[in-house]
Amino acid sequence: PAPAPPAPDAPALDLVGEAEEPAVVAPMPDGAVMASPGPSGGLAGRRAAAAVLDHGLLLAIDLVVVYFTLRIAGIEVDQARALPVVPLVTFLVLVKLAYFAVFTACGGQTIGKMAQGIQVVTTDLRSPEMSLGVMRSTAAVASVLSLGLAYLPALVAGDGRAVHDRLAGTRVVSVRP
């Protein structure tokens, strides 16, 4: 039997021609791939802008968590030092790690990367699995703790990969045509 036609008030989904463009890549001599810089001035600037957006969002989440923690504990804002620092900071760091790991594993894009049109992929252009998302996020903490020195290879190496990309076997590519 033929499928029943949709109800008259049901929205019609016409997905033909709405496929996403694949990552824009160019072959390199060693068989690796490198993202095309795209119209907005290269991946380094777009990665930095994505990081600013992501960390701004995470800072807002931190402030909301601290505010509601104070409210639930019945502590005034000027008495915030009464909160136990180690558990609170540990929780906030774990939220950040989870944000980056889960978004990386579920499509390769954090909210900042979505806004900038870039995506994390494996070196063979597949979506990273959760283990790679966790590894990349954990290694990025070391990159931050090194005062940004671990990001230098992304700026000077020909493949544009930072230390955490190299450790996790990932790279960032442009998804804009």
Side-chain angles (χ1 to χ4, degrees), residues 75-142:
I75 300 172
E76 296 297 323
V77 174
D78 60 343
Q79 299 170 333
R81 293 176 192 230
L83 289 175
V85 175
V86 173
L88 181 62
V89 169
T90 301
F91 175 76
L92 296 176
V93 167
L94 289 174
V95 167
K96 288 168 185 47
L97 285 173
Y99 171 86
F100 286 107
V102 171
F103 271 100
T104 298
C106 296
Q109 293 179 297
T110 60
I111 293 171
K113 285 180 177 63
M114 290 177 203
Q116 292 300 313
I118 56 178
Q119 180 177 13
V120 176
V121 295
T122 62
T123 53
D124 58 354
L125 300 178
R126 292 180 293 118
S127 286
E129 296 177 3
M130 182 56 83
S131 60
L132 288 181
V134 170
M135 183 184 306
R136 186 176 191 276
S137 299
T138 305
V141 171

Side-chain angles (χ1 to χ4, degrees), residues 10-11 19 24 34 42 44-45 53 84 98 112 114 123 137 139 141 149 151 165 172-173:
V24 180
M34 185 172 107
L53 287 170
M114 290 177 203
T123 53
S137 299
V141 171
L149 292 177
Y151 290 100
D165 289 314
V172 177
V173 297

